[in-house]
């Protein structure tokens, strides 16, 4: 008995003593250190720079079982993966997926997977319990060794002051120190930390199925952040704009009740030495589940003639413009003549609370037939609340009528109940071969790979805000989201304004909305901003008056075979080139600072000559933002050209 006691004591002591594990990226630059003692924590360094100081992780289950408290490692496994997968509705045709992985298996039926890529790191919990579990909380901590600058999007929504988790996920970035994080507030992902030596890190999450979204708040030491999650909704009531939201009046004391054997969301940190790298990153795509749709040939990306931003404001016609059949025929004619794939019917085509009831001024069946004859697809807007009342019935009915998809709006939550609803909508839409654009939506977290019929997401402070916000710095924001928000996935930003204004001349307008910055800035956004379903926000009348710009926009595809981030600095400027088949598309923009940029054409195939159609800022764009210069020149892989971008300016090219 004494010998047996000693044996057990020695084994327990060995299993519970402090243990260190190390995982490095394939190129050896990134190192993850995992420390297991009375808790589990990790730290991350990039070469000699500490990116993340020791930071704790844990998951609390029902009955206050904490996965991560007094953990016992049973075994560990390391492996290296170098593979690739096809990505047909993305910014590149295929994605290289190369990483080193460490899996720690713990007593109490759980594991943690750590992955180290050359451009970032990630971890996730995995549970292996036979019975269903209740997740009470997850602890995600981000500690830093210095008081770094952050670019942080705070929750700004006031629809329900008692519940800060109701949000449209649209905010400009606050540029503040870690210690200056606004007390008792929440920020959503993704956000950026600015380190020394020009290095930056962006924090994201992926594979969020059956789980709530991650928010961050300041921790008690003011040296970092810690997680907050929306609890599971128990009671809801109608509210928000036009009572189109479900506001939460009572939440549970848990996050979600879920399967006992499951993967948790990935917690991700992307690390860059060069800002431009952030504008061409695939980590969310790599950490997402593969497509659940077997046959995808019916999924057709493209551009959309959009009615709402321009307030149905067409003129030089002999009918009253508005939400009616004649106006939408005008939009369809415009789309057909300009090779625009879709027209969206935004709010007003139906009763907002019952989308099975049509506006009597809109003959929907006639419009669908009219559009089909002209090779244009019709997409319908609806609120999530109205759709959620009868998802199957709505999708079955409108798919039979010939509708191609839905723009689902006013989601405005990412608790587990809403996340599950988004997955359910995606699955049912795929069943009826319907495309989806999730508006009023949290940031994408990889579901776009799992359900590729989802072609776009909002979760961005897009062009629509120009209709009512006079003081927003839009060019700054454009030059920031390209490196942060866009890393999560597509953005339903809705570019394409044909009325453009300088900083001093800009004024909001409801029926004749204007963009901040130059015409060339707007044209460039069609290449820079990822959006497999991309809106053309201005009115057909405006586009026909500016046919040269319209022809250019119409020729830019919405998915690509290759992407090259040419240059950029967060908040200042960005330049991206993308290839589709044998044609390249290039966009460059700046903030309100005019600047000279150099375009290096070395991304072109060597030994070949190319014709470049170029829209650059006109010589008078500093006074008249609509001024641009169009030229056609010959370039090759040795060409280097300098361009002067005006204040809020841009540069756009098609190179064939």
């Amino acid at each position: 008995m004494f010998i047996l006691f000693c044996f057990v004591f020695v084994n327990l002591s060995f299993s519970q003593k402090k243990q260190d594990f190390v995982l490095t990226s394939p190129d050896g630059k990134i190192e993850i250190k995992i420390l297991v003692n009375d808790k589990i924590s990790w730290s991350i360094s990039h070469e000699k720079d500490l990116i993340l100081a020791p930071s704790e992780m844990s998951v609390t289950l029902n009955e206050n079982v904490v996965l991560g408290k007094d953990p016992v490692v049973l075994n560990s496994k390391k492996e290296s993966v170098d593979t690739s997968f096809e990505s047909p509705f993305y910014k590149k045709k295929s994605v290289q997926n190369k990483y080193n992985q460490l899996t720690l298996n713990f007593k109490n039926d759980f594991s943690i997977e750590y992955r180290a890529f050359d451009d970032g790191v990630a971890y996730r919990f995995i549970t292996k319990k036979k019975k269903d579990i209740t997740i009470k909380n997850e602890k995600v901590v981000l500690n830093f060794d210095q008081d770094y600058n952050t670019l942080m999007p705070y929750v700004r929504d006031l629809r329900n002051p008692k519940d800060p988790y109701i949000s449209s996920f649209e905010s400009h970035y606050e540029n503040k120190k870690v210690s200056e994080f606004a007390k008792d507030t929440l920020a959503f992902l993704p956000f950026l930390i600015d380190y020394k030596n020009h290095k930056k890190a962006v924090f994201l999450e992926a594979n969020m199925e059956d789980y709530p979204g991650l928010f961050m708040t300041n921790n008690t030491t003011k040296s970092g952040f810690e997680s907050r999650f929306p609890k599971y909704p128990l009671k809801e009531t109608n509210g928000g704009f036009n009572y189109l939201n479900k506001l939460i009046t009572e939440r549970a004391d848990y996050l979600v009740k879920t399967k006992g054997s499951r993967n948790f969301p990935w917690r991700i940190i992307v690390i860059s030495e060069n800002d431009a790298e952030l504008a061409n990153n695939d980590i969310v795509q790599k950490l997402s589940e593969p497509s659940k749709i077997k046959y995808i040939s019916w999924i057709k990306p493209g551009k959309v003639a959009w009615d709402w931003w321009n307030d149905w404001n067409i003129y030089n016609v002999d009918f009253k413009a508005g939400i009616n059949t004649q106006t939408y025929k005008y939009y369809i004619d415009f789309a057909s003549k300009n090779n625009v794939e879709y027209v969206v019917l935004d709010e007003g085509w139906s009763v907002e609370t019952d989308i099975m009831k049509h506006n009597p001024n809109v003959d929907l069946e006639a419009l669908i037939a009219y559009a089909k004859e002209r090779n244009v697809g019709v997409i319908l807007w609806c609120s999530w609340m109205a759709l959620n009342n009868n998802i199957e019935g709505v999708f079955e009915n409108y798919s039979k009528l010939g509708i191609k998809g839905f723009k689902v709006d006013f989601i405005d939550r990412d608790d587990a109940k809403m996340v599950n609803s988004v997955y359910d909508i995606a699955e049912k839409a795929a069943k009826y071969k319907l495309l989806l654009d999730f508006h009023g939506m949290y940031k994408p977290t990889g579901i776009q790979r799992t359900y590729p019929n989802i072609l776009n997401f909002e979760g961005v402070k897009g062009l629509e805000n120009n209709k009512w916000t006079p003081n927003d710095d839009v060019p700054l924001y454009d030059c920031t989201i390209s490196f942060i928000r866009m890393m999560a996935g597509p953005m339903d930003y809705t570019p394409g304004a044909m009325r453009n204004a300088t900083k001093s001349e800009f004024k909001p307008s409801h029926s004749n909305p204007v963009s901040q910055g130059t015409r060339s800035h707007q044209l460039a956004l069609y290449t820079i901003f990822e959006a497999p379903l991309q809106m053309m926000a201005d009115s057909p009348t405006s586009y026909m008056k500016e046919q040269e710009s319209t022809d250019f926009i119409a020729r830019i595809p919405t998915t690509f075979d290759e992407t090259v981030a040419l240059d950029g600095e967060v908040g200042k400027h960005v330049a991206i080139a993308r290839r589709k088949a044998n044609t390249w598309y290039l966009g460059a923009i700046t903030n309100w600072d005019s600047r000279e940029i150099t375009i290096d054409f070395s991304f072109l195939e060597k030994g070949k000559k190319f014709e470049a159609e170029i829209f650059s800022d006109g010589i008078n764009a500093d006074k008249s933002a609509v001024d641009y210069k169009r030229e056609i020149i010959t370039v090759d892989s040795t060409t280097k050209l300098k361009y002067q971008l005006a204040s809020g300016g841009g540069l756009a090219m098609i190179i064939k």
Side-chain angles (χ1 to χ4, degrees):
M1 288 295 293
F2 176 76
I3 293 171
L4 181 61
F5 172 79
C6 291
F7 178 78
V8 172
F9 178 80
V10 168
N11 273 276
L12 284 172
S13 299
F14 177 79
S15 64
Q16 292 179 358
K17 73 178 183 179
K18 174 182 173 182
Q19 292 178 270
D20 291 334
F21 299 88
V22 176
L23 181 68
T24 57
S25 59
D27 64 5
K29 288 186 176 183
I30 298 175
E31 182 180 80
I32 303 173
K33 290 183 179 179
I34 300 110
L35 175 62
V36 180
N37 45 28
D38 61 334
K39 59 186 179 182
I40 305 167
S41 61
W42 72 335
S43 62
I44 301 155
S45 57
H46 184 276
E47 295 179 317
K48 295 181 180 180
D49 296 316
L50 185 65
I51 301 299
L52 191 71
S55 300
E56 186 182 350
M57 59 193 68
S58 67
V59 171
T60 302
L61 305 183
N62 45 316
E63 301 176 356
N64 291 319
V65 174
V66 181
L67 307 181
K69 182 180 180 182
D70 299 322
V72 177
V73 179
L74 300 178
N75 54 64
S76 64
K77 179 184 178 182
K78 277 189 176 181
E79 56 185 313
S80 296
V81 175
D82 188 357
T83 185
S84 63
F85 56 87
E86 296 301 303
S87 47
F89 309 113
Y90 192 50
K91 60 187 174 188
K92 54 192 67 171
K93 198 172 185 178
S94 65
V95 173
Q96 188 73 20
N97 196 14
K98 183 178 181 181
Y99 59 88
N100 293 330
Q101 178 169 293
L102 168 66
T103 303
L104 298 181
N105 295 310
F106 293 90
K107 184 181 178 181
N108 208 6
D109 300 322
F110 79 97
S111 305
I112 305 179
E113 281 184 1
Y114 300 89
R115 288 187 188 176
F117 303 85
D118 287 341
D119 57 359
V121 298
Y123 79 85
R124 67 175 173 184
F125 277 81
I126 300 171
T127 52
K128 305 165 187 174
K129 305 213 177 260
K130 294 179 181 178
K131 296 182 180 180
D132 288 353
I133 55 177
T134 299
I135 300 171
K136 304 279 278 191
N137 196 20
E138 180 183 353
K139 191 171 189 177
V140 181
V141 177
L142 303 174
N143 290 325
F144 305 99
D145 65 328
Q146 294 182 33
D147 198 11
Y148 296 111
N149 271 11
T150 71
L151 286 174
M152 188 73 67
Y154 287 99
V155 175
R156 297 293 190 200
D157 214 304
L158 299 176
R159 271 172 287 185
N160 188 355
K162 295 180 180 179
D163 191 337
Y165 296 101
I166 302 296
S167 173
S168 60
F169 300 89
E170 300 177 28
S171 290
H172 288 289
Y173 296 92
E174 298 267 352
N175 190 342
K176 293 182 177 179
K177 298 284 188 182
V178 170
S179 63
E180 294 173 338
F181 191 104
K183 187 179 179 181
D184 299 326
T185 59
L186 294 173
F188 53 88
L189 277 56
F191 64 89
L192 179 144
I193 302 290
D194 191 354
Y195 295 89
K196 57 188 178 182
N197 298 327
H198 305 291
K199 294 180 182 179
K200 293 182 173 66
V202 175
F203 297 79
L204 306 109
E205 60 182 333
N207 200 28
M208 208 171 83
E209 187 172 3
D210 196 22
Y211 210 83
L214 171 62
F215 293 76
M216 302 304 294
T217 191
N218 53 323
N219 63 18
T220 54
T221 65
K222 292 189 176 181
S223 62
F225 310 124
E226 60 184 51
S227 56
R228 293 289 185 272
F229 294 91
K231 304 288 188 180
Y232 197 85
L234 295 178
K235 294 181 180 179
E236 302 165 279
T237 185
N238 294 355
F241 178 77
N242 284 357
Y243 288 87
L244 293 176
N245 290 112
K246 284 288 188 181
L247 303 183
I248 313 303
T249 57
E250 183 182 345
R251 291 188 184 270
D253 64 349
Y254 57 85
L255 305 186
V256 65
K257 293 183 177 181
T258 185
K259 295 177 181 178
S261 181
R262 62 159 295 167
N263 298 328
F264 283 59
W266 287 101
R267 310 299 172 209
I268 308 167
I269 306 176
V270 171
I271 304 163
S272 78
E273 298 179 82
N274 181 312
D275 286 12
E277 298 169 1
L278 297 174
N280 185 23
N281 187 279
D282 305 309
I283 201 162
V284 170
Q285 195 84 351
K286 290 187 282 192
L287 291 170
S288 302
E289 293 297 312
S291 175
K292 292 185 179 181
I293 304 175
K294 189 173 182 180
Y295 301 107
I296 60 173
S297 59
W298 58 272
I299 300 174
K300 305 291 186 184
K303 284 184 286 296
V304 187
W306 185 33
D307 52 1
W308 183 88
W309 189 77
N310 54 77
D311 196 28
W312 299 265
N313 190 3
I314 59 176
Y315 52 92
N316 293 332
V317 294
D318 56 2
F319 57 86
K320 183 65 175 176
I323 305 173
N324 57 52
T325 302
Q326 288 176 298
T327 299
Y328 281 122
K329 283 186 175 181
Y330 188 90
Y331 278 80
I332 291 166
D333 286 339
F334 161 75
S336 180
K337 290 175 184 176
N338 290 279
N339 298 313
V340 175
E341 291 85 350
Y342 299 100
V343 166
V344 66
L345 277 59
D346 213 286
E347 64 173 342
W349 70 270
S350 71
V351 176
E352 286 190 340
T353 55
D354 186 353
I355 52 178
M356 298 295 272
K357 296 179 180 178
H358 301 177
N359 180 336
N361 296 319
V362 177
D363 188 339
L364 187 61
E365 293 188 29
L367 287 173
I368 294 169
Y370 190 82
K372 185 177 180 180
E373 290 174 359
R374 288 153 180 79
N375 201 30
V376 176
V378 176
I379 294 171
L380 300 177
W381 175 94
C382 67
S383 72
W384 169 84
M385 189 168 63
L387 175 63
N388 193 57
N389 291 334
N390 183 17
I391 299 172
E392 192 89 26
V394 167
F395 284 169
E396 182 178 18
N397 176 70
Y398 286 109
S399 65
K400 286 179 179 177
L401 287 179
I403 289 299
K404 300 300 182 183
F406 279 83
K407 176 182 176 180
V408 184
D409 206 347
F410 293 102
I411 294 166
D412 294 343
R413 289 163 35 199
D414 65 351
D415 50 59
K417 186 175 183 179
M418 182 58 79
V419 170
N420 287 341
S421 176
V422 167
Y423 274 84
D424 183 47
I425 290 169
E427 182 180 10
K428 286 183 170 67
K431 176 182 175 181
Y432 293 101
K433 296 185 177 180
L434 292 169
L435 307 176
L436 289 170
D437 173 10
F438 281 123
H439 213 62
M441 171 70 172
Y442 58 87
K443 81 282 178 189
T445 57
I447 188 177
Q448 64 271 28
R449 182 183 173 201
T450 312
Y451 288 98
N453 58 320
I454 307 174
L455 291 180
N456 215 344
F457 305 76
E458 197 180 17
V460 66
K461 199 172 178 68
L463 191 72
E464 66 181 28
N465 289 271
N466 283 26
K467 287 167 71 82
W468 56 78
T469 50
N471 299 318
D472 285 354
D473 189 335
V474 177
L476 168 67
Y477 185 68
D478 293 349
C479 293
T480 304
I481 54 175
S482 304
F483 303 95
I484 304 176
R485 162 60 182 83
M486 194 165 71
M487 196 181 294
M491 304 188 300
D492 197 15
Y493 179 98
T494 69
M498 293 293 102
R499 289 173 296 276
N500 319 108
T502 62
K503 187 175 184 178
S504 61
E505 294 294 320
F506 173 77
K507 293 180 180 64
S509 171
H510 179 73
S511 293
N512 289 285
V514 181
S515 74
Q516 294 185 25
T518 69
R519 170 69 56 78
S520 294
H521 186 110
Q522 287 293 302
L523 300 185
L525 297 183
Y526 282 91
T527 295
I528 295 172
F529 287 170
E530 296 168 26
L533 193 69
Q534 180 65 281
M535 300 288 170
M536 294 176 66
D538 222 323
S539 76
T541 307
S542 296
Y543 284 124
M544 288 187 287
K545 284 180 63 180
E546 300 288 350
Q547 195 62 49
E548 196 169 57
S549 295
T550 303
D551 290 343
F552 186 85
I553 292 171
R555 289 164 53 206
I556 300 174
T558 61
T559 61
F560 299 89
D561 298 332
E562 183 181 355
T563 288
V564 179
L566 300 175
D567 193 11
E569 188 174 351
V570 176
K572 295 185 177 180
H573 65 102
V574 61
I576 295 175
R578 306 189 194 272
R579 179 181 60 81
K580 186 78 167 183
N582 297 319
T583 302
W584 283 89
Y585 305 85
L586 187 149
I589 56 173
T590 182
N591 58 14
W592 282 126
D593 296 329
S594 62
R595 72 182 70 245
E596 184 180 80
I597 64 169
T598 299
I599 300 297
D600 183 340
F601 290 84
S602 58
F603 57 86
L604 296 175
E605 186 178 346
K606 291 179 173 57
K608 285 190 174 183
K609 296 289 184 182
F610 291 80
E611 178 187 276
E613 179 184 359
I614 303 170
F615 281 70
S616 56
D617 291 325
I619 195 169
N620 295 305
D622 59 332
K623 288 186 177 181
S624 181
V626 297
D627 187 30
Y628 66 85
K629 177 183 178 182
R630 178 182 178 271
E631 58 182 331
I632 296 177
I633 64 171
T634 301
V635 297
D636 60 31
S637 62
T638 67
T639 304
K640 292 184 180 180
L641 296 176
K642 291 185 178 181
Y643 285 91
Q644 185 68 34
L645 303 187
S647 172
L651 175 71
M653 301 185 191
I654 297 177
I655 309 164
K656 62 182 181 180

